[in-house]
Amino acid sequence: MKIGKPGVFIFSAVAVAAIILAGALCTSNGAAGPADNEDKTVIKAPAETSEDKLLQKLRSELPADSVITVSYAEDFNKDSKPGLFAIVNKGKDSGEDILDGQVWYVSDTVIEKMLETSIYRNSTAVWDVDSQKLFRLEEGYGGSGSNSHVWSVRDGKPYELKYAGEALEYAGNKQFYTYPGAFDMLRDGTGGHTWKPYYLYFDETTGMFREYGGISISREDLLKLKNASGILDKITEKGLKITDIFYRSNGIININYMDEIYNLNLTLTVKDDTVTVADPNFIDNPNLDQGGIYKAAIFEEIATYPDKFIK
């Protein structure tokens, strides 16, 4: 039997031990080890968005105690350059429905206060009308009345669309309803608050609202349409007096009539030479909150009228 040299064995064992120890020391001192070659998850701070930048720009213009309550960052004039409309509460937010507030517009090149008044917190919206977007809110007075405001952006500058009326609603396809209040319910003219829908549309050329004005038509004109005879009979059978009939180019016909006490009205829609009562229950059970006298137009300055009746 041959026995290896003891010196070689001892040297080999010491060398192996030294290598293991050195590796452990290197790893514990932060030197590269097997674990350091594994993939690591790197946590980065979120990138600042365009809205963040615009909000920061707005805050730099406001008193320190101001609160930005609502904000919309959108490409309002669709030029790939975002702008921001915001409601600012002047001071601590009380949580009330009506704010003592301001409306601001901010972009890369513009910062402008658009309005300072009492504002309904939950009345804001952004509407897309094809070529641009509109920002809407309702100015409140703490009573039954209000005032609609609508803004947009053209050529990089904010502007207000006039004649928005009251309680403005968007019906889609560039069509709007506005409900301006009037005190015209009682036949003797002593009052009675009513809100009747009038009809607006967005004009792409001007970027403003236009109104569907009504032309006066006769009972005989209306009777040329299918279903009209039965509708008119329901009014006259009750001894009610028809005072006005207006036709609008959006297919709406408004009939004003009256009983001994109230001014009332009825709205018809026209399609394919046939008229239909907009609210089937209205003619039998008039809702006096929707009473009053329709005018040919509520905003003469922006009204457009049909050239003629459809028949």
Side-chain angles (χ1 to χ4, degrees):
M1 178 183 291
K2 293 185 179 180
I3 300 175
K5 296 180 180 179
V8 175
F9 176 79
I10 293 171
F11 174 80
S12 300
V14 171
V16 171
I19 292 170
I20 294 172
L21 179 59
L25 289 173
C26 289
T27 303
S28 64
N29 287 331
D36 294 292
N37 294 325
E38 295 178 0
D39 292 338
K40 291 185 175 180
T41 302
V42 179
I43 300 176
K44 296 181 179 180
E48 190 175 38
T49 65
S50 298
E51 182 174 6
D52 293 333
K53 293 177 182 178
L54 294 175
L55 286 171
Q56 184 177 354
K57 183 176 180 178
L58 175 57
R59 288 190 183 97
S60 69
E61 293 288 322
L62 301 174
D65 61 346
S66 299
V67 178
I68 300 175
T69 304
V70 177
S71 64
Y72 292 93
E74 301 277 352
D75 185 3
F76 283 95
N77 59 343
K78 300 192 176 182
D79 61 354
S80 301
K81 297 177 181 179
L84 182 140
F85 281 101
I87 295 179
V88 177
N89 198 40
K90 298 185 298 180
K92 185 177 180 181
D93 190 349
S94 64
E96 298 293 330
D97 288 339
I98 299 181
L99 306 174
D100 181 17
Q102 302 168 337
V103 177
W104 286 78
Y105 176 75
V106 189
S107 71
D108 288 341
T109 58
V110 177
I111 180 166
E112 184 176 344
K113 182 168 67 174
M114 310 299 297
L115 180 70
E116 183 165 349
T117 186
S118 296
I119 298 168
Y120 282 106
R121 177 195 303 270
N122 297 320
S123 68
T124 59
V126 172
W127 296 323
D128 193 325
V129 292
D130 194 15
S131 65
Q132 58 197 86
K133 294 182 180 181
L134 313 181
F135 171 66
R136 174 261 195 191
L137 65 79
E138 200 76 5
E139 178 183 11
Y141 311 122
S144 59
S146 66
N147 191 19
S148 297
H149 290 274
V150 179
W151 293 274
S152 190
V153 179
R154 277 203 167 189
D155 299 323
K157 297 180 181 179
Y159 71 98
E160 184 168 4
L161 286 73
K162 301 296 185 181
Y163 306 105
E166 186 175 345
L168 186 72
E169 296 178 2
Y170 185 41
N173 196 29
K174 306 177 190 178
Q175 308 297 301
F176 296 83
Y177 300 103
T178 187
Y179 297 82
F183 292 90
D184 58 357
M185 182 183 290
L186 300 180
R187 181 173 173 173
D188 63 6
T190 58
H193 204 169
T194 68
W195 290 268
K196 300 172 290 299
Y198 284 82
Y199 310 92
L200 309 179
Y201 65 94
F202 179 75
D203 184 342
E204 290 280 357
T205 302
T206 62
M208 293 290 186
F209 289 131
R210 301 299 299 267
E211 180 183 353
Y212 291 103
I215 57 172
S216 182
I217 64 172
S218 68
R219 179 188 175 100
E220 289 69 29
D221 289 328
L222 184 56
L223 285 171
K224 296 174 183 177
L225 301 176
K226 298 174 184 177
N227 293 344
S229 178
I231 293 170
L232 292 177
D233 287 346
K234 281 194 172 185
I235 295 175
T236 55
E237 284 170 1
K238 298 177 181 180
L240 305 174
K241 180 182 178 182
I242 295 175
T243 56
D244 302 290
I245 306 175
F246 293 112
Y247 166 71
R248 307 177 193 274
S249 60
N250 61 342
I252 293 292
I253 294 177
N254 299 120
I255 302 175
N256 291 326
Y257 62 100
M258 61 177 64
D259 62 14
E260 295 180 356
I261 301 175
Y262 298 109
N263 295 311
L264 300 168
N265 59 76
L266 188 66
T267 297
L268 312 179
T269 59
V270 183
K271 185 177 181 180
D272 299 329
D273 295 336
T274 301
V275 291
T276 305
V277 179
D279 183 349
N281 298 315
F282 187 86
I283 193 168
D284 295 316
N285 300 289
N287 177 357
L288 299 184
D289 288 341
Q290 297 299 321
I293 304 171
Y294 264 105
K295 298 179 180 179
I298 196 67
F299 302 123
E300 287 285 352
E301 298 87 345
I302 62 167
T304 60
Y305 296 89
D307 293 330
K308 60 181 181 179
F309 185 48
I310 53 178
K311 294 292 283 187

